[in-house]
Amino acid sequence: MNERRILVVAHAQREDTVAAALRVIDALRDAGATPVLASPDRAELAEVDPRFADVALLGHDVAEDDLELAIVLGGDGTILRAAELVRESGAPVLGINMGHVGFLAEIDRDDMDAAVRRVIDRDYEVEERLALSVRVKDADGSVVYETWALNEATVEKASRERMIEVVIEIDGRPLSSFGCDGMVVSTPTGSTAYNFSAGGPVIWPTVEAIAVVPLSAHALFAKPLVVGPEASVAIEMLDRTDGMGILWCDGRRSHDLPRGARVVVRRSAQPVRLARLHPTAFTNRLVRKFQLPVAGWRGAS
C-alpha cells in the first residue's frame, strides 16, 4: 500500500492549537500515515515544542504532488494559507475551527479526533469551489503578474488620501468609469468576506457566479453586479488617476498597479477542493456566523 502523506497546517500562536497539532500528528502516525508540515510552521511549532522538529517537511521530505489531503487547524485565514500551499497539487483541505466561527472550516475542535479517524478511513466528500484567475497587464498589454484567489481579488488605492480612477469592462465591453476607493471581484466563497463588508450580495456556494462590487464609488451607476461564471472582468487604472493602486488577492498576495495597468479576472480552470465530513446547510452557517435572529420560526409547512 502506498504511503499516505497528510499536510497539517497550524501556527504556534495559541497553546490549544499547538496541542491540537500534536494530537493530529500522533493520530496520523498511529494510523501509519506520514504527517507533513510546511517549513515556516515546523520552525514556529518546534520553538514551542521540540517534538515537532522531526515531522516531515513539505517540499524537502515530501513533494506537494504527493499530498493526499491537508488538515488545517485554525480559522478561515489559516485555511486560505493552506489552500495556497496545496494549490498546485489539488489536494483537498479539511478545516478544523479553533477559534471564531468561519465559513470554510468543516468542524469544531471538539470533533477533531473523529475527524482524523474519518480522514484515515477516507470517509469524506470533496466539494469544489470556484476560484479566480488573476492577471495584471501593463500599459503595453504585456502580462506582468499572474496569481489566483479563492475569496476575492481587490483593486484598491495605495494612498489613503487619494482615489483611483478606473474603467470597468465586462466580457470585453466597457461598462462605466468612475473614481473610487477600489473594486472587489469576489467568488461565492468570498461573498461573506470583503464583498460582504463592501455591501455586495451573499451568494450561496452552490451558485456559480462572480460578484463585482465598487468601494466608495463617486458615480450614479456603481452598484454591485453579479455576472456569469465564464465572464471576464477587467479593471483598468486610468491615466487620470493621481497616484498608485494595488492588487490584493485573498489579502495574501499583492502587486502594485501604476496608471495604465489592467487587471483581468476570470474563473480559474482549477477550483479549490474542500473536504467535507457533514453536509451542513449554508443557511445554518450564516445564522451561526452572524448570530441572525430566527426566534419564532415554526418550520416548513
Side-chain angles (χ1 to χ4, degrees):
M1 186 175 179
N2 292 335
E3 185 178 1
R4 302 175 65 187
R5 302 170 178 90
I6 295 174
L7 180 67
V8 179
V9 181
H11 57 68
Q13 295 168 12
R14 290 172 41 165
E15 287 184 13
D16 57 345
T17 303
V18 174
L22 276 175
R23 278 171 58 191
V24 169
I25 286 168
D26 288 343
L28 292 174
R29 284 173 168 164
D30 289 345
T34 299
V36 183
L37 289 171
S39 180
D41 286 351
R42 193 179 79 167
E44 188 180 80
L45 290 164
E47 284 188 8
V48 178
D49 192 312
R51 285 176 288 180
F52 288 103
D54 64 346
V55 178
L57 267 183
L58 180 64
H60 183 270
D61 305 308
V62 175
E64 183 186 332
D65 286 345
D66 292 331
L67 293 175
E68 177 181 323
L69 179 135
I71 297 177
V72 186
L73 303 170
D76 284 357
T78 311
I79 293 173
L80 288 171
R81 180 164 66 89
E84 192 175 70
L85 289 170
V86 301
R87 178 65 179 163
E88 297 305 318
S89 71
V93 174
L94 174 67
I96 298 177
N97 186 38
M98 299 298 294
H100 299 295
V101 176
F103 285 96
L104 295 174
E106 172 66 0
I107 59 167
D108 293 327
R109 65 182 124 184
D110 297 340
D111 302 318
M112 183 174 62
D113 295 328
V116 174
R117 285 195 298 271
R118 291 184 62 177
V119 166
I120 295 300
D121 294 338
R122 294 190 173 93
D123 180 19
Y124 58 85
E125 297 179 356
V126 175
E127 176 182 310
E128 293 191 342
R129 293 288 183 92
L130 183 152
L132 300 174
S133 166
V134 186
R135 284 182 164 192
V136 177
K137 296 183 178 182
D138 63 17
D140 297 325
S142 300
V143 176
V144 294
Y145 181 71
E146 292 188 71
T147 187
W148 65 281
L150 171 58
N151 272 357
E152 75 279 307
T154 65
V155 172
E156 303 175 32
K157 60 181 183 179
S159 177
R160 216 172 130 187
E161 64 273 10
R162 292 186 174 95
M163 289 192 308
I164 54 174
E165 298 280 345
V166 300
V167 62
I168 310 305
E169 171 193 298
I170 307 293
D171 286 333
R173 302 304 303 163
L175 181 68
S176 187
S177 65
F178 43 75
C180 60
D181 285 351
M183 296 292 301
V184 179
V185 184
S186 169
T187 67
T189 299
S191 71
T192 50
Y194 200 168
N195 167 84
F196 180 83
S197 300
V202 174
I203 304 173
W204 260 240
T206 51
V207 176
E208 294 199 328
I210 297 171
V212 184
V213 183
L215 300 173
S216 303
H218 290 228
L220 178 63
F221 187 84
K223 299 295 184 183
L225 307 173
V226 179
V227 300
E230 304 309 325
S232 170
V233 178
I235 302 162
E236 292 186 0
M237 297 279 293
L238 294 175
D239 288 339
R240 64 177 183 260
T241 296
D242 183 15
M244 294 275 291
I246 186 168
L247 167 72
W248 281 99
C249 290
D250 290 340
R252 295 188 52 79
R253 299 171 296 282
S254 66
H255 187 81
D256 290 337
L257 301 173
R259 282 177 281 186
R262 174 180 170 90
V263 178
V264 183
V265 183
R266 293 185 173 92
R267 177 186 193 154
S268 172
Q270 184 177 349
V272 171
R273 307 173 76 230
L274 300 179
R276 293 304 195 196
L277 305 178
H278 311 287
T280 302
F282 182 66
T283 309
N284 292 346
R285 290 179 186 266
L286 282 176
V287 169
R288 190 176 172 203
K289 173 67 176 178
F290 296 119
Q291 300 180 344
L292 301 177
V294 293
W297 181 65
R298 297 175 62 184
S301 57

